[in-house]
Structures are given as structure tokens and as C-alpha cells.
Amino acid sequence: MIHHPNTIPPGTNIPSVVNAIIEIPKGRRSKFEIDKKTGLFRLDRYLFSSSHYPGDYGFIPQTLAEDGDALDILVMVNEPTFTGCLIEARVIGLFKMKDKGFNDYKVFGVPNSDPLFAEYRDLSSVPPHFLREVEHFFGTYKQLEGHHTEIQGWATAEAGIAEVQASVDRFVDHNKPRIPGA
Ligand SMILES: [Mg+2]
């Protein structure tokens, strides 16, 4: 059965515990993307660069980011999940970058119920090398497409949580019924 992603709430404890719908599992080079019309996952492309996603990657439903899409999220996982998997994720940071001139921030989280991440509350728990891998991935993954992303770097858990709230608010505002002529 196909459920439209926007029938799923943005989280269980917004803005700090969110629902991440995974499009691309950690370790994959194929860029899967949800098809907004049908709710099916489609293969957008095989990355031109020979690199793979450093974590499970997807979006938070019922959010609207500054680039016009749902807010992106990267989830640090011990084992990749699968395309279409819903992960209840605790926000512990924010990765800031620009793509095509728009802010294209990635919320960063860990699975809320994973005991190996139970103590993770902010970026100080994360191995610094993992943070460098993420920076390198998002800084280079479009290079062989002749396209450059602009990396701004890591920000705090508070910044990630604020970005979730802003994107939930933006979604609500955007989908408010408008009174004709008002
Ligand atoms: Mg985006």
C-alpha cells in the first residue's frame, strides 16, 4: 500500500525528535528520491562521482525548506536501513550548505531508540572524522556533474532544532487555505 509522505506527521516530539523518511541508505551511490505525486521511490540518478552516502539520507515529512523541498536529514546509523524506512531521529546538529544559490541545510540526527547512540545529544559525541567525511561528501558529490556546492559547515543541535521548527512553520503557512480575494 502506498501512503503519501505528507500523511505522516513531521515527528513524535517536534522539533527535537523527527520522523525521517529514508530515500538513500548509507553506503549507496544510487540517488533514490520520492516521487511527490505517487509516493513511490524512483531512481533519480547514479551519482557521477564515485562516492557513497555517509549515513541514511532522506527528508522530514510536512516540512518546507528554503529550497522549496521538504527538509533534508542525514541520520547516522550503525547499519543501513532501506529506502522507505521511517526512522524516529533525535536531532543533534545541522549541516549548512548552499546548492544552486539556495540554502540546502541537512538536519543531522541519530536513531532515537538505538542504544549505541543513547548518549548522543550534540556533535561533541560524534567522531570528528565522521563530520569531515560528511563535509567532503557534500562538497564533492556533484563535481563530476560540473556542479559545485558551497559548504558552510556544521552548526549545533539547537540550530538543527530551530531549522526543523522553521520548516514545519513554513509548511503550515504554505498550505494554509487562502481566502480568495483576501
Ligand atoms: Mg534539499
Side-chain angles (χ1 to χ4, degrees), residues 57 67 69-70 72 104 106:
Y57 181 80
D67 65 357
D69 283 331
D72 298 324
D104 190 17
K106 317 300 186 193

Side-chain angles (χ1 to χ4, degrees), residues 18-22 56 75 77 81 85-89 110-112:
V18 302
N19 284 329
I21 297 177
I22 301 309
D56 278 8
V75 186
V77 288
T81 64
C85 184
L86 191 155
I87 301 180
E88 186 189 57
V110 294
N112 200 27

Side-chain angles (χ1 to χ4, degrees), residues 56-76:
D56 278 8
Y57 181 80
F59 65 93
I60 304 170
Q62 299 196 41
T63 59
L64 183 61
E66 288 178 63
D67 65 357
D69 283 331
L71 183 59
D72 298 324
I73 181 165
L74 181 74
V75 186
M76 192 178 185

Side-chain angles (χ1 to χ4, degrees), residues 100-116:
K100 293 171 187 148
F102 289 99
N103 286 336
D104 190 17
Y105 296 166
K106 317 300 186 193
V107 169
F108 181 58
V110 294
N112 200 27
S113 59
D114 186 331
L116 288 169

Side-chain angles (χ1 to χ4, degrees), residues 6-93:
N6 279 345
T7 62
I8 298 159
T12 49
N13 188 13
I14 287 295
S16 57
V17 183
V18 302
N19 284 329
I21 297 177
I22 301 309
E23 294 170 301
I24 308 153
K26 172 188 175 179
R28 296 298 300 268
R29 178 171 164 183
S30 295
K31 193 175 189 312
F32 303 113
E33 221 169 56
I34 195 150
D35 177 65
K36 286 173 196 158
K37 269 197 196 122
T38 61
L40 287 171
F41 292 90
R42 54 188 285 277
L43 178 64
D44 177 61
R45 66 187 185 278
Y46 189 56
L47 290 184
F48 286 31
S49 296
S50 178
S51 48
H52 59 261
Y53 279 78
D56 278 8
Y57 181 80
F59 65 93
I60 304 170
Q62 299 196 41
T63 59
L64 183 61
E66 288 178 63
D67 65 357
D69 283 331
L71 183 59
D72 298 324
I73 181 165
L74 181 74
V75 186
M76 192 178 185
V77 288
N78 287 301
E79 181 178 286
T81 64
F82 53 89
T83 301
C85 184
L86 191 155
I87 301 180
E88 186 189 57
R90 186 168 65 252
V91 177
I92 65 164

